[in-house]
Amino acid sequence: MKIKELNKRKVPIVKIDKSLDRYNGLVLSPDKLEKANEVLRTIGLPKQWTNK
């Protein structure tokens, strides 16, 4: 494709890096995850997300 054709497209062209699959299911920062889970347990989700 030419540059002009690429620029006219509405949908972007994205290439996914397969080497990032090694991070699936791996917790990179367990302290932040635990803190976020604690906040969700005590406060909960915002109202706009729970009404859907």
Side-chain angles (χ1 to χ4, degrees):
M1 285 188 179
K2 294 183 180 181
I3 299 293
K4 289 182 181 181
E5 292 174 12
L6 289 173
N7 288 337
K8 288 182 184 178
R9 286 182 159 235
K10 301 275 183 190
V11 179
I13 299 173
V14 178
K15 183 177 178 185
I16 298 174
D17 190 2
K18 300 281 185 185
S19 68
L20 296 175
D21 285 341
R22 65 178 175 223
Y23 296 113
N24 271 351
L26 182 66
V27 178
L28 297 178
S29 55
D31 53 337
K32 289 184 180 183
L33 177 65
E34 183 57 39
K35 184 177 178 182
N37 284 334
E38 182 64 31
V39 168
L40 286 174
R41 273 192 291 275
T42 58
I43 298 172
L45 292 174
K47 296 290 182 194
Q48 71 181 22
W49 299 110
T50 56
N51 289 338
K52 285 187 176 179

